[in-house]
Amino acid sequence: RIVMRDAKTYCGILLDDNNRKPICRLWFNGKQRYLGVFDAEKNETRIPIEAVTDIYKHAERLLDSVSRYESSKNA
């Protein structure tokens, strides 16, 4: 159910291949890498990361994004 979709400036991670259900964005094009996470209103916050493995530090926020979509589907 998790799909990666490449864009020009970032890599989008989506639920159900639906661009209305973004889980996060990976910004790896510049010198500084960022993980973009979304809040309940789908506002993105960019978090600087040093290595790809730093994404694991933000697992709770990513799981929250998915659970919001799942709870709205069941409502």
Side-chain angles (χ1 to χ4, degrees), residues 4-13 24-37 44 46-56 58 62:
M4 179 192 77
R5 193 181 295 173
D6 196 19
K8 283 190 176 192
T9 56
Y10 62 86
C11 178
I13 308 300
C24 69
R25 288 181 179 163
L26 306 174
W27 300 84
F28 291 163
N29 292 341
K31 288 184 181 180
Q32 176 63 57
R33 296 180 181 113
Y34 295 96
L35 170 66
V37 294
E44 182 183 13
R46 286 191 194 180
I47 302 168
I49 58 174
E50 295 297 318
V52 174
T53 54
D54 290 347
I55 294 170
Y56 290 107
H58 306 284
L62 300 174

Side-chain angles (χ1 to χ4, degrees), residues 60-73:
E60 190 68 33
R61 292 180 81 172
L62 300 174
L63 291 170
D64 286 345
S65 291
V66 174
S67 65
R68 276 194 297 274
Y69 300 131
E70 289 297 299
S71 65
S72 66
K73 181 175 86 171

Side-chain angles (χ1 to χ4, degrees), residues 1-2 6 15-17 30 32 36 39 45 49-50 53 69:
R1 296 186 58 194
I2 307 296
D6 196 19
L15 181 64
D16 296 331
D17 199 15
Q32 176 63 57
D39 62 14
T45 302
I49 58 174
E50 295 297 318
T53 54
Y69 300 131

